[in-house]
Amino acid sequence: MAASGLPPLPPQFKAVQHVLRTAQELDKREPVAAYYCRLYAMQTGMKIDSKTPECRKFLCKLMDQLEAMKKQLGDNEAITQEIVGCAHVENYALKMFLYADNEDRAGRFHKNMIKSFYTASLLIDVLTVFGELTDENVQHRKYARWKATYIHNCLKNGETPQSGPIGMEGEYYDENEEVGSPALPSQESQASSTYESGNAPTSNYTGIHIPPGAHAPANTPAEVPHATGEIRLTPEDFARAQKYCKYAGSALQYEDVSTAVQNLQKALKLLTTGRE
């Protein structure tokens, strides 16, 4: 794989092939996610092999790409502030997941939804650049990758997939096996329309409800109570409220009013009652 401006991908870096391809696909409509995809590929590549000449050459070119993107996006808080970047990528991964999950549960099986499941799983991989994944994201990644595999294999074999959560078995989806070149949903509204009316799916495979923007990175400070009126708020409460506000800002970038309002209401409730 030779990405734009990059030399051919060394065989040692096969593990980051798909995430670099995803970065290219997201360059125009989701440059922040594309940036972090490349950063993830860079960090992963450094761990795999940073000494072989061809690997060093590739990593240097990739680093040049990252520096150029960082300058281009320099005024974007999702690049300058890690917590905003994490929320941004996580929100986008969730959009892809929810779009695919709703298509799956409605029995609409097609290449776009397969690609969306798979892209969601890759973007959750990318979240590791910000630290350890939450248990929820680990489960979402496993489910999304398995669903992509299962539905792809069913369609490939002329079988009708079963909708929704069923037993997770079989090999992981390999994008290279697909016939044709399926694209991600061309309109952001395809991914967001599934829950603009507030009907986000319940993920039975984890036994929890997944509201848009509900996942927050698990980096919270030690508990030191602060008094706000009669409400005693901890630093953790303030951090969570801040994250909800950031999620709301990210949702507004997609003109997703429902998700923005939902997250702002969560922040307001937390700050006024001390409870979520």
Side-chain angles (χ1 to χ4, degrees):
M1 181 202 121
S4 176
L6 292 177
L9 185 76
Q12 297 95 312
F13 292 164
K14 184 178 180 181
V16 299
Q17 177 176 348
H18 294 321
V19 77
L20 285 172
R21 180 178 296 146
T22 297
Q24 285 184 274
E25 293 170 348
L26 296 178
D27 268 335
K28 291 185 178 180
R29 70 173 173 275
E30 191 52 51
V32 170
Y35 171 83
Y36 284 113
C37 283
R38 290 189 173 93
L39 182 60
Y40 169 82
M42 179 77 186
Q43 292 181 356
T44 304
M46 291 288 288
K47 293 175 184 176
I48 294 173
D49 187 343
S50 61
K51 296 181 180 180
T52 304
E54 61 175 343
C55 291
R56 287 179 62 87
K57 180 181 179 182
F58 186 88
L59 291 172
C60 285
K61 291 293 185 181
L62 183 55
M63 189 178 296
D64 290 342
Q65 273 195 357
L66 283 166
E67 288 300 318
M69 292 186 73
K70 194 169 185 179
K71 288 181 181 178
Q72 185 179 2
L73 301 169
D75 58 348
N76 192 316
E77 281 191 340
I79 299 297
T80 60
Q81 297 186 38
E82 199 171 90
I83 188 173
V84 184
C86 182
H88 188 102
V89 176
E90 194 171 32
N91 252 10
Y92 193 73
L94 188 61
K95 281 180 180 289
M96 293 292 100
F97 183 94
L98 289 171
Y99 166 75
D101 191 51
N102 276 277
E103 290 295 282
D104 175 38
R105 291 167 189 270
R108 294 188 291 265
F109 306 109
H110 50 85
K111 289 181 178 180
N112 272 352
M113 64 95 71
I114 295 172
K115 186 66 177 272
S116 292
F117 265 135
Y118 188 63
T119 300
S121 75
L122 288 180
L123 290 174
I124 294 173
D125 282 337
V126 170
L127 287 174
T128 59
V129 303
F130 303 104
E132 189 175 349
L133 295 178
T134 64
D135 290 341
E136 287 175 296
N137 279 335
V138 170
Q139 292 172 21
H140 295 160
R141 178 178 61 182
K142 181 178 180 181
Y143 181 79
R145 196 160 291 171
W146 168 77
K147 260 296 181 179
T149 305
Y150 168 71
I151 297 171
H152 166 69
N153 287 339
C154 283
L155 297 182
K156 180 181 177 182
N157 296 328
E159 302 170 359
T160 301
Q162 294 184 45
S163 298
I166 55 177
M168 285 190 268
E169 298 174 354
E171 298 298 324
Y172 278 153
Y173 168 66
D174 183 351
E175 197 176 24
N176 290 329
E177 292 183 6
E178 253 187 314
V179 178
S181 181
L184 289 169
S186 57
Q187 301 294 328
E188 296 296 343
S189 59
Q190 284 183 289
S192 61
S193 63
T194 57
Y195 56 84
E196 283 180 347
S197 59
N199 59 341
T202 299
S203 289
N204 296 328
Y205 66 94
T206 61
I208 58 172
H209 185 67
I210 311 177
H215 307 136
N219 297 322
T220 54
E223 183 172 327
V224 181
H226 288 268
T228 305
E230 296 181 359
I231 305 300
R232 291 175 64 83
L233 298 174
T234 67
E236 182 179 5
D237 293 329
F238 286 114
R240 282 204 299 268
Q242 184 182 43
K243 288 167 188 174
Y244 286 136
C245 291
K246 298 301 184 184
Y247 288 140
S250 180
L252 288 175
Q253 291 181 3
Y254 300 102
E255 299 180 359
D256 186 351
V257 176
S258 176
T259 301
V261 170
Q262 182 185 45
N263 281 285
L264 288 173
Q265 287 174 337
K266 287 180 179 179
L268 183 61
K269 180 180 179 182
L270 178 60
L271 292 173
T272 55
T273 68
R275 298 188 303 273
E276 293 190 71

